[in-house]
Amino acid sequence: MALAPSDCIFAVLCFEGPDRYALAGGLGSRVSGLTEALARSGATTHLYFIGDPGAPSVEERIEGRLVLHRWSQWISRYYPNGVYDGENEKLYDFNETAPWHVADHLAQLAVKGRKHLVVLGEDWHSAEAICRTSDLLHARGLRSHATLIWNANNPMGFERINWGRLGYIANLTTVSRYMKHYMWGLGQNPTVIPNGIPEHLVAPIPAAQVQRVRSALRADGAGPVFVKVARWDPDKRWNMAVSAVSRLRGRGIAARLIAKGGIEPHQREVFGNAVAAGLSIADVPVGESPTPETLADALRSAAAADVINLQGYLPVDLLQVLYRAADAVLANSGMEPFGLVGLEAMAAGAVVFTGSTGEDYARPFQNAIVLETDDPGEIAQYWDQLQSSPALVEHMRQAALATAAEYTWSEVLSALFHRLDYLAAASPR
Amino acid sequence: MAKHLVIYTLAHQPHRLKLPAQPIPPGAAADDIARCLFDQRMDQFYFGRAAGKCYHPAIAAFTEFLCAGGKLCFGISETLLDQITRWDPSLLEALTGFVHHPNCELITVEPEHSLIFYLDIRRFVEGLGRYRQRLEREFGVVAQVADTTEMFMSNDLYFALARAGMRGGFMDGRSWVLDWRSPTHLYHHQLPTAILARHTDLSDDVGYRFSNRSWHGWPLLASDWAEWIAKAEGDFVFVGWDFETFGEHQWQDSGIFDFIAALPGELKRCGVECLGASEVMDRFADHSFDLPLPAFPSTWAGDGGVGFFLGNPIQQALFQLMHHAYNKAILTDDPALVDLAVKLTQSDVLHLTQWFGRSGDEAQVSAYFTPREWWALGPDRIVWEAQQVFKNFIAACDPAAVAAVRQSTPLDLASDLDDREDGSDPRGVTRERGPQEAHHKTKAQ
């Protein structure tokens, strides 16, 4: 019989989390959605993350079943620029303290409540903490009460992991078959448990909001309008996206790229190439608390630009509006462990161009355009095909919505708990 | 024959360095710097272990010893007193009762168990005085006698004790200091400030050899030891031990507590009377001898010289870093940072790296006291990370040092002196300007 959520206490160890301070990328979205879904499913869930130093150190949500532990706040006070500012200092403290809290508090709670403790570490920052948690549970005679899982969302920091130790004490999981194969090369065989998206992302998006943003995107006669949301990283193939826009414009098509990146320096190279290709760029701040209305206004202010560089934080709900309003979303990464942006865009009913690595959810010409190369001509070519086949576009939008619905957290958790039963039985001790 | 016995024990736990060194956020406040430098969780663990094995049972055992007519001089470092206050209220209560026993004489000590006297003798003197006042506030007892860190004693330290207003102090009775003299007499040097010389052999019979089954004196019985005391030539025997000897260094199953329990009766049988240090100073003040004190200090640790603390290159490097850390803290004008720098000069840092590149009994003792958790790093990394703690601290003082430079006039006295062409000191003292200084001044002009 599978473990039920109410049988478990989850401890999730992750640098990122639901605070804006702690949201740096897909990991923050994942862990926020995962922990919330776990709590809603009935599992008491404790998330240890590098939270906002100005927020309460402990906060209960969802009738007390989700407990946020904002860790290392005393260090974060010296590092205002988000979760990875002062990374090494925070990592030291996280490794030094979070495992003790899990072992001394949660494990005791689990034993008293006759619950099974599931400790889930996310990405390389938590690898050492998971190992120490195992050691501490052993020292307290509680190791057999716990299942330790370490999940790889991407290969970043793999060189800093002691694989022999981690693989010995924890069950390893990852988010796609691509990552599974990647980790085979490290002598590990992780179980694949896909990423998920919050249920509300598959809810219909208000048409008026979409229309307002769409008209702003297409102001000045622009079109097609592509949206790309990713870190400024070569793996994300920003240059491919910019070149595709350039090629289309070279053919007299008023293509435009709406870019939302991070703070990474690769941006300069991308924009340098864009300018060299004759594209104009406008920086557009989105403001403190953007709405569809303010976003539309901001977009209109830069209506003449070929590339609009959105600056500032865009909440996920507003991104959904943007995805849906665009003609296509370019999630064209060259290396993507899972591709959460692609899935989120599909949940918005967008036409999505994905890469062909970890995007297990993408099926070529059924629910997405799956790019096999880094050739910008491939984007341009498939765009031409879509232009000539509105039915395919509509079919892909509907199929994308259906696919996204299969990846909501409730669906993913169902698979997780089936897996968990086996993992608990096979758990390293 | 010695008919008097003075027993001194010192209780101490260190601030253990946090290894590997924890990186310190730039601009961190002193409290946050402290949590990066010192491993409080490790301190709490080892304190808890020592409290269970030693402090609670040993205080109980010595209380019975006092009630049976024994007398004891007792010192406790401020580091340990803070730990007891924070982590074990019942122990603090027991300790308070113990210190108030009329047969217990409270000894003041260098509060941080530090080597600050090497770096800043004035701060050493101030520290003794401040801690004596704290002990008076905590226990209502004014200590008259002081022990220095690891019983260091040298010519300058003797005068420092005198400047601190202490009536007397201790030194280890090593032959290279005493020469032809016996440790069983009262000593002084130039001043009435008294010195009790620890009887190394009779002390180490209990402190080091008690559990040693290959020692010809094993098992050591209270009756035998009392007889050895009684047979010693001189006025009195002064023995000194770590308080942790009782239960932690010598485990309970060694019979160490039985030894203490039997001691009052055996001493009485042998005609040996226990005295406090102050009582000895009263009784033998007229029979005190001048003792030339060495420039290089003696200590009760190791073979009695500073080699135990400065004998290998790693210790010497750490000792240099202690200086740099302290100097840097001084340049910040921030008392909290200076306090941290003093904590970093604790002798334990050097004690716990004595084993590096060495073998033998002393290295084994040093390695034994090195926290078990550190060994996972390996010996090379232990000493590297220990140095890194100091380097991190020095760097962490930068913001405060910058602020101090911006807020203060640079080295007022030196600039005043340089600016006076007649060479007169602004305090009114006229001095001759040397030829090099005159040349320098000319060039500068």
Side-chain angles (χ1 to χ4, degrees):
Chain A
M1 192 175 73
L3 278 169
S6 56
D7 297 332
C8 302
I9 291 180
F10 276 81
V12 180
L13 308 181
C14 183
F15 252 42
E16 295 191 35
D19 294 352
R20 189 166 155 185
Y21 180 87
L23 277 170
L27 179 59
S29 302
R30 167 190 161 82
V31 80
S32 302
L34 170 63
T35 53
E36 192 174 316
L38 282 169
R40 290 196 190 285
S41 73
T44 303
T45 304
H46 294 255
L47 171 59
Y48 297 80
F49 71 112
I50 307 296
D52 184 340
S57 58
V58 179
E59 180 184 341
E60 293 188 357
R61 294 180 180 175
I62 312 178
E63 297 169 346
R65 289 199 303 279
L66 175 59
V67 184
L68 303 180
H69 299 270
R70 294 186 173 88
W71 220 251
S72 305
Q73 285 179 302
W74 69 276
I75 297 177
S76 297
R77 288 190 187 97
Y78 298 105
Y79 293 103
N81 298 319
V83 53
Y84 295 116
D85 189 16
E87 186 177 16
N88 284 333
E89 287 82 346
K90 291 168 180 173
L91 181 62
Y92 187 111
D93 187 65
F94 196 78
N95 288 339
E96 272 289 298
T97 52
W100 268 263
H101 198 270
V102 172
D104 288 339
H105 296 278
L106 292 198
Q108 310 291 346
L109 275 178
V111 169
K112 281 182 191 167
R114 297 180 179 278
K115 301 281 179 86
H116 190 73
L117 177 66
V118 181
V119 186
L120 170 62
E122 294 282 346
D123 277 358
W124 78 268
H125 291 97
S126 68
E128 176 67 21
I130 287 288
C131 292
R132 293 190 188 185
T133 302
S134 177
D135 290 348
L136 292 170
L137 291 173
H138 262 300
R140 287 153 180 73
L142 299 173
R143 184 63 183 84
S144 61
H145 293 261
T147 299
L148 268 59
I149 299 171
W150 181 81
N151 182 62
N153 293 285
N154 61 66
M156 205 177 293
F158 271 13
E159 75 283 358
R160 296 177 69 159
I161 291 174
N162 181 340
W163 288 106
R165 188 174 173 216
L166 182 65
Y168 182 75
I169 59 94
N171 295 108
L172 304 191
T173 64
T174 190
V175 290
S176 67
R177 289 190 285 272
Y178 170 79
M179 283 294 293
K180 182 186 184 81
H181 290 201
Y182 189 103
M183 293 168 71
W184 279 357
L186 299 165
Q188 308 299 324
N189 182 29
T191 298
V192 176
I193 298 173
N195 233 326
I197 55 175
E199 323 288 322
H200 69 90
L201 290 193
V202 295
I205 302 169
Q209 293 181 6
V210 174
Q211 187 53 44
R212 183 185 292 268
V213 173
R214 182 170 175 74
S215 63
L217 290 173
R218 285 180 159 268
D220 235 18
V225 178
F226 300 109
V227 168
K228 184 169 177 63
V229 177
R231 283 180 291 110
W232 296 105
D233 187 296
D235 279 345
K236 303 297 182 184
R237 289 184 172 163
W238 277 98
N239 284 324
M240 180 188 184
V242 166
S243 295
V245 169
S246 171
R247 286 196 185 195
L248 288 170
R249 292 191 75 86
R251 287 160 43 193
I253 300 172
R256 168 184 274 183
L257 178 65
I258 311 299
K260 175 69 187 80
I263 58 171
E264 302 80 13
H266 181 57
Q267 179 197 42
R268 296 180 66 179
E269 178 188 323
V270 173
F271 283 175
N273 289 339
V275 170
L279 300 179
S280 61
I281 302 170
D283 291 336
V284 175
V286 298
E288 261 305 298
S289 302
T291 63
E293 292 73 23
T294 62
L295 178 61
D297 291 344
L299 289 167
R300 278 202 180 83
S301 71
D306 305 327
V307 178
I308 291 180
N309 178 34
L310 294 180
Q311 296 175 319
Y313 174 72
L314 282 178
V316 65
D317 289 339
L318 189 52
L319 281 171
Q320 294 299 100
V321 175
L322 187 61
Y323 294 149
R324 179 70 190 196
D327 291 296
V329 174
L330 299 182
N332 58 314
S333 300
M335 201 291 283
E336 196 64 77
F338 179 80
L340 192 58
V341 168
L343 185 61
E344 287 175 349
M346 284 166 71
V351 173
V352 185
F353 286 61
T354 72
S356 49
T357 51
E359 299 94 334
D360 292 346
Y361 53 82
R363 301 191 304 277
F365 307 109
Q366 293 185 32
N367 60 8
I369 302 294
V370 178
L371 301 167
E372 296 287 344
T373 74
D374 61 355
D375 176 12
E378 196 182 4
I379 295 176
Q381 178 78 23
Y382 292 139
W383 173 251
D384 288 343
Q385 290 182 17
L386 293 177
Q387 282 295 92
S388 63
S389 181
L392 176 60
V393 171
E394 185 53 30
H395 171 76
M396 284 176 48
R397 287 186 186 275
Q398 293 306 318
L401 284 168
T403 298
E406 294 170 5
Y407 283 86
T408 57
W409 277 116
S410 59
E411 297 292 329
V412 172
L413 285 190
S414 173
L416 169 67
F417 277 99
H418 281 291
R419 293 280 195 203
L420 192 56
D421 209 32
Y422 169 72
L423 295 177
S427 182
R429 297 283 185 253
Chain B
M1 295 297 172
K3 291 298 178 190
H4 305 286
L5 173 66
V6 181
I7 302 175
Y8 166 61
T9 66
L10 168 71
H12 166 64
Q13 288 290 316
H15 296 292
R16 291 167 185 82
L17 298 182
K18 192 184 268 190
L19 305 186
Q22 180 166 7
I24 302 172
D31 284 352
D32 289 335
I33 292 174
R35 62 199 292 183
C36 295
L37 301 176
F38 302 111
D39 197 330
Q40 196 170 105
R41 183 170 54 226
M42 188 183 283
D43 286 347
Q44 186 171 6
F45 170 78
Y46 282 104
F47 166 79
R49 195 176 76 173
K53 290 173 66 176
C54 165
Y55 298 135
H56 280 289
I59 283 177
F62 274 111
T63 299
E64 287 186 19
F65 173 81
L66 298 178
C67 291
K71 292 188 178 177
L72 185 76
C73 300
F74 178 76
I76 179 169
S77 70
E78 188 167 36
T79 318
L80 176 56
L81 185 56
D82 286 342
Q83 292 181 4
I84 292 172
T85 304
R86 188 179 310 134
W87 293 323
D88 196 338
S90 68
L91 179 57
L92 182 62
E93 190 177 337
L95 178 67
T96 304
F98 176 63
V99 168
H100 282 147
H101 194 286
N103 285 355
C104 181
E105 178 173 354
L106 187 61
I107 304 297
T108 190
V109 300
E110 200 292 309
E112 302 289 350
H113 208 61
S114 80
L115 301 176
I116 188 64
F117 49 80
Y118 269 119
L119 287 69
D120 187 339
I121 198 70
R122 286 182 183 275
R123 186 167 293 274
F124 168 73
V125 171
E126 289 166 8
L128 280 181
R130 180 189 60 74
Y131 189 46
R132 181 161 64 163
Q133 289 173 356
R134 175 173 174 187
L135 291 174
E136 184 180 1
R137 285 196 307 275
E138 298 256 353
F139 301 114
V141 179
V142 180
Q144 300 182 51
V145 178
D147 181 25
T148 59
T149 302
E150 299 284 355
M151 210 173 274
F152 268 74
M153 181 56 73
S154 59
N155 183 292
D156 60 325
L157 282 171
Y158 173 81
F159 284 94
L161 292 186
R163 288 293 296 269
M166 303 313 303
R167 192 177 170 205
F170 304 144
M171 64 171 276
D172 205 54
R174 302 284 174 162
S175 58
W176 66 271
V177 180
L178 294 175
D179 200 1
W180 49 268
R181 302 168 186 84
S182 165
T184 51
H185 297 286
L186 191 64
Y187 293 101
H188 64 273
H189 179 66
Q190 308 282 336
L191 295 168
T193 306
I195 301 172
L196 276 70
R198 191 182 79 122
H199 197 296
T200 310
D201 284 343
L202 286 169
S203 298
D204 288 353
D205 287 342
V206 177
Y208 282 111
R209 292 183 280 271
F210 191 83
S211 301
N212 184 354
R213 293 182 177 227
S214 62
W215 174 43
H216 65 81
W218 186 88
L220 180 60
L221 303 178
S223 54
D224 292 339
W225 193 71
E227 286 175 12
W228 298 346
I229 298 289
K231 287 177 182 171
E233 295 285 346
D235 297 324
F236 62 91
V237 172
F238 169 52
V239 294
W241 305 301
D242 289 331
F243 195 70
E244 293 78 13
T245 299
F246 304 93
E248 194 171 38
H249 304 174
Q250 313 294 349
W251 293 1
Q252 184 169 16
D253 62 8
S254 71
I256 191 72
F257 291 120
D258 299 326
F259 177 87
I260 292 300
L263 199 53
E266 295 299 332
L267 289 171
K268 193 171 183 180
R269 180 180 63 80
C270 295
V272 176
E273 179 190 10
C274 277
L275 296 177
S278 296
E279 286 179 302
V280 160
M281 292 171 193
D282 288 338
R283 194 166 299 193
F284 298 102
D286 296 336
H287 198 232
S288 175
F289 302 96
D290 192 276
L291 175 67
L293 289 165
F296 288 109
S298 63
T299 166
W300 73 355
D303 62 6
V306 295
F308 187 82
F309 296 95
L310 296 173
N312 70 43
I314 294 300
Q315 292 174 304
Q316 289 162 16
L318 285 165
F319 192 54
Q320 287 183 55
L321 287 168
M322 286 179 180
H323 282 75
H324 293 300
Y326 182 73
N327 289 341
K328 183 65 179 291
I330 290 289
L331 291 170
T332 67
D333 294 336
D334 183 339
L337 292 177
V338 175
D339 284 349
L340 284 179
V342 174
K343 283 184 169 66
L344 282 172
T345 69
Q346 58 186 339
S347 64
D348 308 78
V349 173
L350 303 179
H351 192 302
L352 301 184
T353 46
Q354 190 277 346
W355 47 262
F356 189 85
R358 286 172 168 164
S359 57
D361 290 347
E362 290 180 9
Q364 279 185 8
V365 170
S366 168
Y368 174 78
F369 288 113
T370 299
R372 181 176 49 85
E373 296 84 344
W374 290 5
W375 290 110
L377 298 170
D380 289 344
R381 180 115 187 265
I382 287 176
V383 298
W384 193 91
E385 293 290 347
Q387 292 184 22
Q388 193 61 40
V389 171
F390 287 84
K391 294 173 188 172
N392 287 350
F393 174 76
I394 290 167
C397 289
D398 276 357
V402 168
V405 168
R406 288 180 177 155
Q407 288 168 13
S408 67
T409 51
L411 294 177
D412 298 325
L413 178 60
S415 59
D416 280 352
L417 290 174
D418 282 348
D419 288 342
R420 285 170 184 262
E421 290 186 1
D422 62 0
S424 66
D425 188 301
R427 295 165 296 185
V429 179
T430 302
R431 66 184 184 120
E432 294 293 326
R433 189 185 297 281
Q436 284 185 327
E437 285 178 282
H439 176 65
H440 172 76
K441 189 71 178 175
T442 304
K443 283 181 71 175
Q445 286 169 338

